[in-house]
Every structure is written in structure tokens, then in C-alpha cells.
Amino acid sequence: MEEKQIEILKIATEEFATNGFYQTKTDIIAEKANVSKGLVFHYFKTKKNLYSETIREAIVQLEKAMNEGEYPTNSLIDLFDYSLKKKFELAKSHQFEMQLILDVYSHLEQLPEEMNQEIDDYLERVNNASYEMVATIVRRLPLKNGIFEEDVVKLVLMVFNQIELDAKKTMEHEKVTNLRFFDQVMFDARKQLSILETGFLRENRNFSR
């Protein structure tokens, strides 16, 4: 990819993340990238293609950043701790990429209809990556007889997603300045995942009446 294309995508990421698809102007992107509007369309043909390529590049950058370092593989609780901290570290180092992807998740129905399938494919890859990350740990756990990997992974992801959703709702009303904000989130996550790993019924139990 040429240097000018990279600069256009960088500026486009900031503009789309800040203003959304419809309110973003290609004139502004060209001006801030210090290129002509004609060159923008030479590289990307249409605003829709530019947006699609911007999302693709944002996902590539986020996946690359998320893959830096080693994820804990001994515990689901440790994995969640690491993953959540990593995501909010990325919110600082890759602010506009994160903002763009969150906007895609939140307003998918408002995007041009012809773009939905391509974006759905991106999101499916992200979900598959999350599934495999959790499955890697689950495969190492001594599952009880009759308990299957797929069911456990789906349940764990449901818990992960709900905890993160609760954190995001809280963030709508509070400004996050450091990771201490997530102390309570981590505490609640540990409790829930511990219950998930160990179960909530006593080992020696009798349901007979």
C-alpha cells in the first residue's frame, strides 16, 4: 500500500469514527490528508469503498495489537482480566479504530444496506477469534462427563459479553481515566467466572425429599 493511501486511511478512520458514515465528508478527508479529492477516489473509487477499507484496516490493526503478547491459558478468570485490560489499553493507543468498530456494532442497521454483508463477515471473524481464544483454555480444563466444549465456550462468552456490556453502560456516565475504574468490574468478573468454573451446588447434595 502506498504512503498516501495509508495517510488517507488514517485520516478517514478519525473522521468516520468521529462523525459516522453519513456525516463524514470526503473533501475534509482529502484536505486533512493533504491530497486531492480526485486522488482519494482514484484509490478507493467511492465513499462506500473507502469506508469498507477503513473498517478492514481498523480490524487488522486491532487484531494485530490484540495478538501482541501472550494470553493467559491457565484460567478463564486470568484470561478475562488480561483481555479487559488489553481492550481498554487499546482504547488509548488505538482510540479511533476502537471508536469506529464500536460505532459499527452499535449502528449496523443505519449503514448502507449493501455494506452489511461485508461488515457482518468482519464481525464474524472477530467473534470466531474470541471463540477460539476461550476454547483454547476450555480444552485444557478437566470438564465433567457429559459437559461439552462448545457449550462451555458459549456460556463463557455470554458471561464475558454481559460483564463488558455492564462496564460500557457505566462508562456512558463516568469518564475513564485509568484502569482503577475497572477494579469493581474485575471483582464481579472473578466472582461470576469462579462460579462458572466450580459450579454453584455443593458436591455432596441430596435432592430427595
Side-chain angles (χ1 to χ4, degrees):
M1 187 179 296
E2 296 181 15
E3 185 175 341
K4 289 184 179 179
Q5 285 177 281
I6 295 173
E7 182 63 18
I8 291 171
L9 285 175
K10 178 174 179 275
I11 299 300
T13 300
E14 297 178 9
E15 291 299 309
F16 284 128
T18 303
N19 304 310
F21 176 77
Y22 292 107
Q23 298 303 316
T24 293
K25 307 298 182 185
T26 52
D27 312 63
I28 301 299
I29 293 174
E31 180 181 345
K32 289 187 175 182
N34 198 28
V35 299
S36 68
K37 185 176 179 180
L39 187 61
V40 173
F41 286 109
H42 168 73
Y43 285 133
F44 301 101
K45 308 305 179 186
T46 66
K47 179 181 175 182
K48 182 193 76 172
N49 289 342
L50 173 59
Y51 187 55
S52 297
E53 190 61 33
T54 300
I55 293 172
R56 180 183 293 111
E57 183 63 20
I59 290 176
V60 167
Q61 293 301 320
L62 290 174
E63 289 180 337
K64 180 180 178 181
M66 287 291 287
N67 288 332
E68 293 175 353
E70 295 184 0
Y71 283 88
T73 58
N74 59 311
S75 164
L76 292 171
I77 297 173
D78 289 345
L79 174 63
F80 181 80
D81 269 13
Y82 182 90
S83 298
L84 192 61
K85 288 177 182 178
K86 186 77 171 178
K87 285 183 180 179
F88 286 101
E89 287 171 0
L90 286 177
K92 293 182 179 180
S93 62
H94 293 70
Q95 174 188 351
F96 294 110
E97 288 88 347
M98 289 284 286
Q99 192 172 329
L100 177 63
I101 298 306
L102 286 174
D103 186 65
V104 168
Y105 272 111
S106 302
H107 303 96
L108 191 59
E109 74 284 352
Q110 297 180 15
L111 299 175
E113 185 175 351
E114 63 271 18
M115 295 177 59
N116 285 352
Q117 184 59 54
E118 186 174 3
I119 295 173
D120 281 342
D121 291 342
Y122 295 152
L123 301 182
E124 184 178 357
R125 289 207 303 274
V126 172
N127 290 335
N128 289 342
S130 297
Y131 181 98
E132 186 57 33
M133 183 174 62
V134 173
T136 298
I137 292 181
V138 171
R139 291 185 190 115
R140 301 183 181 187
L141 298 176
L143 300 183
K144 297 177 180 178
N145 292 334
I147 302 297
F148 301 101
E149 173 190 309
E150 181 179 0
D151 296 325
V152 174
V153 174
K154 288 180 179 179
L155 184 58
V156 169
L157 288 173
M158 286 174 61
V159 173
F160 277 17
N161 291 337
Q162 186 58 51
I163 294 171
E164 290 189 11
L165 180 61
D166 291 342
K168 288 174 184 177
K169 287 181 179 178
T170 302
M171 287 171 59
E172 292 176 0
H173 307 287
E174 298 183 35
K175 183 177 180 180
V176 177
T177 57
N178 57 60
L179 290 176
R180 284 181 296 177
F181 173 85
F182 302 104
D183 285 349
Q184 186 61 45
V185 175
M186 296 298 187
F187 178 75
D188 292 340
R190 290 188 184 99
K191 286 196 302 182
Q192 294 180 43
L193 291 172
S194 178
I195 292 172
L196 185 61
E197 284 190 331
T198 62
F200 62 90
L201 297 178
R202 292 191 301 272
E203 186 173 349
N204 296 321
R205 56 190 183 275
N206 188 344
F207 294 112
S208 61
R209 297 184 180 183

